[in-house]
Amino acid sequence: MAEQSENQRRAYELLGVLLERAAREELPVIAWTVASAQSEPILAGHCEAVDPIQRQDDFEAWRAALGAEAWPNGIKQDYGVRLHASVADQGAGVTVTLAAEIRHDEM
């Protein structure tokens, strides 16, 4: 239990750093979730813009800013495509993931 609390604390601290960076670099606003896996903390960003092109642009802006590696061509789903990228922040020991869904009817 103590390890999971420590994991969440590290993820929250990294979120604060990323939000400060977003303000400085004018990165788009996205939703963030802090999760605590047993072995490592995870900070998950989700791009939720109403416009699908903006959603994809938001994803790409954050992916580039973090140097996150995207899954080529996204993850095919019945409803459309899920864009996914992740990077391990070695300094904080937190994995940052990014996601955006683009539905078939939006393409």
Side-chain angles (χ1 to χ4, degrees):
M1 188 73 159
E3 181 180 352
Q4 287 180 329
S5 283
E6 175 63 19
N7 285 348
Q8 283 187 327
R9 184 191 62 73
R10 290 197 333 254
Y12 276 116
E13 286 177 358
L14 179 57
L15 177 57
V17 170
L18 291 179
L19 292 176
E20 288 175 7
R21 182 176 175 192
R24 276 193 321 274
E25 297 177 21
E26 298 182 2
L27 291 166
V29 174
I30 64 173
W32 291 99
T33 302
V34 172
S36 177
Q38 288 183 338
S39 61
E40 67 181 25
I42 297 170
L43 182 57
H46 196 265
C47 304
E48 299 178 334
V50 173
D51 178 70
I53 294 170
Q54 185 62 55
R55 203 175 314 135
Q56 189 168 0
D57 288 349
D58 292 354
F59 173 86
E60 193 52 40
W62 274 101
R63 189 209 59 74
L66 296 174
E69 186 174 336
W71 292 20
N73 302 318
I75 302 166
K76 306 288 189 238
Q77 302 285 341
D78 289 339
Y79 62 83
V81 176
R82 178 180 173 88
L83 304 175
H84 181 82
S86 65
V87 63
D89 184 298
Q90 300 300 327
V94 176
T95 296
V96 180
T97 65
L98 299 170
E101 284 86 24
I102 311 295
R103 296 185 318 267
H104 291 301
D105 63 348
E106 295 178 318
M107 296 179 187

